[in-house]
Amino acid sequence: MDRLTILRPDDWHLHLRDGAMLKAVLPETARDFARAIIMPNLVPPVIRGQDAAAYRERILAALPDGMSFEPLMTLYLTEDTDADDVAKAAGSGLIKAVKLYPAGATTNSASGVRDFQKVEPVLERMAEIGLPLCVHGEVTDPEIDIFDREAVFIDRALDPIRRRHPNLKVVMEHITTSEGVAYIGETEKNLAGTITTHHLIINRNHILVGGIKPHYYCLPVAKRESHRLALRKAATSGDRRYFLGTDSAPHTDALKEHACGCAGVFSATNTMSCLAHVFEEENALDRLEAFASRNGPALYGLPTNPETLTLEKQSDPVKFPAKIETGDGPVTVFDPGFDLYWRVI
Ligand code: DOR
Ligand code: ZN
């Protein structure tokens, strides 16, 4: 097969930032994707409905003429979040999810949740109104090894939340472990997981062997090879519970190539080419549409996109820029470490 047409995909986990960075990275996503769930971890974070409405306007204003793209907004859950404000923003259609960051887990998560009891009323209301909770699933306990933080989060935090709120729809975002895959796989209702492009391609050796590679560092950090293989199996299975959330997260090179480098992989530019490559390797090109275009809308109760996207396999490698220029400085594009032949036409 050298040509593949699928329903136009969506990205169910995306960082667009703001200002000059937003302007530079938005076209990279809007070129291939119809919609994306927009992460609210700005500085300051997108906490109230009015913040999300203003951010949405800034995104639409940054969209180049002739491109169409629908930002699906989220709110950043804090211990002071007002359940009425959440319900109002959801009722008007403005927001599609609320994002839970355990405080300190990742970039701009300082305003996140320390005491899960404090957000119980909001979770209760979300369960009532059918608003999904997107979860950054890592514990922050300094005693817990960084490579175990996702698995421990499932036992200590996620499973208890789901038992208290069986009707709450939960998206476990950017899963990186076989434990994450298994937990979702054994659950019939109200739980799904997103998987990034880069976690299908790199394991922790890519970050650490032969010199440290800051552009492969993200959170949750890539794990050992057996986990990558479990993620590949889940993503290419067609199972409705797994779908694409790139977690494309731009940081300037100056902040990545640093003594204390930021977490985030910027993959918006070549994600569809990378995914076609991975799905072809797994003999699963016929399931790329489920992963990138069908399973996400089904979980969020949204229609699939009416348009299509076509990928073509060329005989010569596709040329992608190594970096994109932004008003804040260059941002390195994810390097899968092999040539890509599939091109969006
Ligand atoms: O690698 C990451 N980058 N993981 C996150 O959870 C946040 C993101 C960011 O905002 O840069
Ligand atoms: Zn993210």
Side-chain angles (χ1 to χ4, degrees), residues 79 113-123 160-161 164:
E79 293 180 357
V113 178
R114 281 183 176 76
D115 177 357
F116 289 105
Q117 288 302 328
K118 296 217 171 111
V119 297
E120 280 295 298
V122 180
L123 301 186
I161 289 176
R164 288 198 295 276

Side-chain angles (χ1 to χ4, degrees), residues 17 43 81 98 107 155 205 228 239 293 306 322 339:
R17 316 297 189 206
V43 190
T81 290
V98 168
T107 312
D155 294 339
N205 278 13
R228 185 185 74 99
D239 188 316
S293 315
D339 285 336

Side-chain angles (χ1 to χ4, degrees), residues 13-15 39 41 99 101 106 136 173-174 219 247-249:
H13 181 133
L14 177 67
H15 297 269
M39 286 298 118
N41 63 334
K99 174 72 187 250
Y101 288 106
T106 187
H136 183 108
E173 301 199 279
H174 42 51
L219 288 169
D247 198 11
S248 181

Side-chain angles (χ1 to χ4, degrees), residues 15-83:
H15 297 269
L16 285 178
R17 316 297 189 206
D18 219 337
M21 184 64 88
L22 165 64
K23 209 168 168 29
V25 300
L26 178 59
E28 301 299 298
T29 286
R31 198 173 293 134
D32 294 345
F33 294 90
R35 302 170 289 194
I37 283 276
I38 309 301
M39 286 298 118
N41 63 334
L42 304 181
V43 190
V46 179
I47 293 175
R48 298 187 59 88
Q50 66 195 43
D51 306 330
Y55 185 30
R56 182 172 180 277
E57 289 309 312
R58 298 200 295 281
I59 295 169
L60 292 176
L63 192 65
D65 286 345
M67 279 189 149
S68 71
F69 176 73
E70 189 185 351
L72 306 173
M73 307 309 292
T74 62
L75 296 181
Y76 184 120
L77 183 62
T78 73
E79 293 180 357
D80 300 320
T81 290
D82 172 9

Side-chain angles (χ1 to χ4, degrees), residues 1-15:
M1 198 195 309
D2 57 11
R3 204 174 237 259
L4 177 67
T5 297
I6 60 173
L7 290 175
R8 193 153 178 233
D10 303 302
D11 184 348
W12 300 95
H13 181 133
L14 177 67
H15 297 269

